[in-house]
Amino acid sequence: MPNGPDVPGFETLLGKDAGAVGDRAFQVLLLANLTAPLGPALVSPLLDTLTGVYGVSEAEIGLMVSAYTAPGILVIPVVGVLADRYGRKPLLSAGLLLFGCAGVALALTTDFRVVLALRVLQGVGGAAIVPVIITSVGDLYTGAVEATAQGIRLSTSGLTQAVFPAIAGVLVVVAWQYPLLLYAIAVPIAVVVLVYLEEPRGARSDGGRAEPPGESDETAPDSSTTALLRLAGRRPVLAVLAGRGIPGFCYFGFITYNSIVVVRVLGGTPAEAGLLVTLGSASYAIAASQAGRITARFGSRRPPMVGMFLALGVGLGVVAAAPSLAVSGVGVVLLGVGFGTLGSLYRSIVTGIAPGALRGGLVSLSESVGRVTITVAPVVMGVLVAWLTPEVGLAGAVRLTLGAVGVVGAVAGVGSVLLGDVDPRSTR
């Protein structure tokens, strides 16, 4: 595939490595990427309202997030192996279709058990979207071009989460079902992927683009599960995989308890809860888009990553202690900047560690780690909130839990950066 055309406007915003924006394959991948972030983010401003619709408690409603993220723990590694063997496009199209159909079906029931089952199905579909897109971007580009492309991809996620939760917060006032119908957007996108996406397989060359499919497959290293586990078991790689999950734990703690904090603690409305998600998403979209510039400017990823973990922890702490929506918004911005930058850099790091034949497998393993952390975050935090509530009340319990997660996340994240191979020399 030829290099994409120069796009001067995007170069001004994103740096000199923004040429990927002009490639049709990348454009289709960005379109597909609009959907998966809606899995958890779209329901975030709705959760307080849905407790009444489903007749469940504040602790139980968090299961809507966990039910979506849990399937990825098992499904994503399988997706990685299948994507390496059979190609990216079939899995991506099927995932989009299942995600959209199961999401729309949520508007048709008030039985919480059925809701959780549909969220599990939707999670299976979502598990076949993001890892395949990340791997495909890794197939297409390398170096600062790839870091910029991963940042742009994550920025589209942020923009999606900036727009749709705000719309959902308004629609839920009219009827609780209306926001859930927004999941239907994934169905036509699945058709676009099936028709227009050119299969981006093949090991990459030393330049910024992938080699054409099939040119390097014969020389690829051993792609067996044993080789993948051997690579993942190296301490620097293991530290990267562990660190990869921490930003998601912190951010999904905010996503899960955002509406409870805004409505129950600060006396706000679902629409205001949606605006906070929008603010956080816009912040991480902007921050993620600059990942390529960060990679090119610093001799090492280590200093900015340490700074971003501190921003993540401080931001969540500010949200926990905020006396008003305005102060909470400041914390959300810090949280979003840390989450967006770290998410983009970690994905670029992981694709740089693995040789071509193991890339899909290691990316999927990394995304599985992320799924584990965002799945257990609502459960762990729900247990802490339930345990603390009799002692300090709901408001105090939520504040203490969010603050503790921010402190632990920052400390553990900085440790993982210091121990991890965050500046991998590609073996591709």
Side-chain angles (χ1 to χ4, degrees), residues 6-416:
D6 293 334
V7 190
F10 283 103
E11 287 192 9
T12 301
L13 291 173
L14 307 172
K16 63 184 179 61
D17 299 304
V21 176
D23 290 338
R24 189 177 75 171
F26 186 61
Q27 292 167 354
V28 175
L29 291 172
L30 289 182
L31 180 64
N33 194 70
L34 291 175
T35 59
L38 297 179
L42 186 61
V43 301
S44 176
L46 315 179
L47 292 179
D48 184 67
T49 300
L50 293 178
T51 56
V53 173
Y54 300 140
V56 296
S57 68
E58 291 83 1
E60 291 172 315
I61 198 65
L63 294 175
M64 282 194 71
V65 177
S66 295
Y68 174 80
T69 58
I73 298 172
L74 299 177
V75 174
I76 288 176
V78 177
V79 167
V81 173
L82 293 177
D84 283 338
R85 182 168 299 179
Y86 299 110
R88 322 304 193 201
K89 183 162 71 171
L91 290 170
L92 182 55
S93 300
L96 286 164
L97 189 61
L98 180 58
F99 175 88
C101 291
V104 170
L106 290 168
L108 306 178
T109 181
T110 57
D111 187 325
F112 193 58
R113 291 171 298 180
V114 176
V115 166
L116 293 182
L118 288 172
R119 287 290 281 175
V120 169
L121 285 176
Q122 192 180 25
V124 172
I129 299 174
V130 174
V132 174
I133 295 173
I134 294 170
T135 304
S136 298
V137 173
D139 290 333
L140 290 169
Y141 309 103
T142 188
V145 177
E146 193 234 352
T148 299
Q150 296 287 7
I152 295 169
R153 184 204 65 79
L154 195 57
S155 293
T156 64
S157 298
L159 292 174
T160 300
Q161 293 185 46
V163 173
F164 283 88
I167 296 173
V170 174
L171 290 178
V172 73
V173 178
V174 182
W176 66 268
Q177 299 97 329
Y178 288 177
L180 300 173
L181 297 177
L182 295 173
Y183 283 123
I185 191 176
V187 176
I189 291 177
V191 176
V192 171
V193 169
L194 193 61
V195 174
Y196 292 105
L197 181 63
E198 181 179 348
E199 187 66 50
R201 293 192 65 185
R204 291 180 291 189
S205 66
D206 293 333
R209 294 286 313 197
E211 294 176 11
E215 287 190 8
S216 302
D217 292 345
E218 292 81 7
T219 60
D222 178 19
S223 60
S224 68
T225 302
T226 301
L228 177 61
L229 294 177
R230 185 163 54 245
L231 174 65
R234 292 174 48 223
R235 192 187 72 174
V237 178
L238 199 58
V240 167
L241 293 176
R244 160 70 180 85
I246 295 171
F249 192 103
C250 294
Y251 196 78
F252 273 73
F254 159 70
I255 289 291
T256 302
Y257 282 95
N258 169 54
S259 65
I260 305 297
V261 169
V262 172
V263 178
R264 301 290 183 91
V265 179
L266 298 178
T269 66
E272 289 171 327
L275 287 175
L276 275 188
V277 176
T278 294
L279 182 61
S281 300
S283 300
Y284 96 62
I286 294 170
S289 71
Q290 303 304 306
R293 283 178 167 170
I294 292 174
T295 300
R297 182 170 299 176
F298 287 86
S300 168
R301 291 187 178 100
R302 201 162 267 114
M305 290 181 73
V306 167
M308 289 302 104
F309 267 117
L310 294 177
L312 192 77
V314 171
L316 194 57
V318 171
V319 170
S324 66
L325 285 171
V327 176
S328 183
V330 174
V332 169
V333 169
L334 285 172
L335 182 66
V337 168
F339 178 68
T341 306
L342 288 167
S344 182
L345 290 177
Y346 265 116
R347 286 172 171 92
S348 181
I349 289 165
V350 170
T351 60
I353 290 173
L358 297 180
R359 191 177 305 126
L362 189 65
V363 167
S364 293
L365 183 59
S366 169
E367 293 303 299
S368 290
V369 171
R371 282 302 180 104
V372 169
T373 57
I374 65 178
T375 297
V376 302
V379 177
V380 171
M381 295 178 71
V383 170
L384 287 175
V385 168
W387 179 57
L388 291 170
T389 296
E391 301 295 329
V392 297
L394 177 63
V398 172
R399 288 184 186 276
L400 285 173
T401 298
L402 288 173
V405 169
V407 171
V408 173
V411 173
V414 170
S416 70

